[in-house]
Amino acid sequence: VQLQASGGGLVQAGGSLRLSCAASGTFVSIGAVGWYRQAPGKEREPVAIIARDDSTNYADSVQGRFTVSRDNAKNTVYLQMKSLKPEDTGVYYCNADIRVRWGRDSSVYWGQGTQVTVSS
């Protein structure tokens, strides 16, 4: 199982980006998927999470600006980011709770990070 995060880049303050987190490999279900970010010199922090039933939660700092969604047919979760601020700069990671076989416990997988840089 692999998670591939993509869509990062350099954007001016006020701009938008859409990140993708795509799962590949052999598995039977994907549960909750989360987005995290890590700014230079800081600890990784949660940004948004979407459950299997599409319920969502957001960090206070991104509430109203970021939207997380999922396309189960494509095994992909998106993070739409609008009104970006310089403080949104960091490496963005996704993780997912994935079950590789029915009857077995699920495990959490992490994708590699994608850099988001917001210039002022």
Side-chain angles (χ1 to χ4, degrees), residues 30-50:
I30 303 174
V33 178
W35 284 97
Y36 296 75
R37 67 186 180 191
Q38 187 165 19
K42 295 187 177 181
E43 294 186 354
R44 191 174 299 186
E45 62 177 2
V47 174
I49 186 168
I50 184 166

Side-chain angles (χ1 to χ4, degrees), residues 62-82:
V62 307
Q63 183 76 46
R65 300 188 297 120
F66 290 11
T67 303
V68 61
S69 61
R70 64 193 298 161
D71 184 336
N72 291 327
K74 296 182 178 180
N75 295 320
T76 300
V77 168
Y78 304 98
L79 184 67
Q80 178 68 53
M81 305 185 295
K82 299 180 179 180

Side-chain angles (χ1 to χ4, degrees), residues 1-116:
V1 175
Q2 287 190 329
L3 287 180
Q4 179 76 34
S6 61
L10 173 64
V11 64
Q12 289 187 335
S16 300
L17 282 174
R18 189 178 79 158
L19 306 183
S20 299
C21 176
S24 62
T26 302
F27 50 87
V28 296
S29 71
I30 303 174
V33 178
W35 284 97
Y36 296 75
R37 67 186 180 191
Q38 187 165 19
K42 295 187 177 181
E43 294 186 354
R44 191 174 299 186
E45 62 177 2
V47 174
I49 186 168
I50 184 166
R52 180 69 180 174
D53 63 0
D54 287 346
S55 59
T56 57
N57 274 289
Y58 299 92
D60 289 344
S61 59
V62 307
Q63 183 76 46
R65 300 188 297 120
F66 290 11
T67 303
V68 61
S69 61
R70 64 193 298 161
D71 184 336
N72 291 327
K74 296 182 178 180
N75 295 320
T76 300
V77 168
Y78 304 98
L79 184 67
Q80 178 68 53
M81 305 185 295
K82 299 180 179 180
S83 302
L84 283 161
K85 305 175 181 180
E87 51 264 42
D88 294 319
T89 295
V91 180
Y92 283 68
Y93 301 88
C94 62
N95 76 359
D97 188 43
I98 296 177
R99 191 184 306 276
V100 299
R101 187 178 301 172
W102 294 120
R104 292 184 63 176
D105 291 340
S106 59
S107 299
V108 175
Y109 294 82
W110 284 88
Q112 91 295 353
T114 184
Q115 177 71 45
V116 172

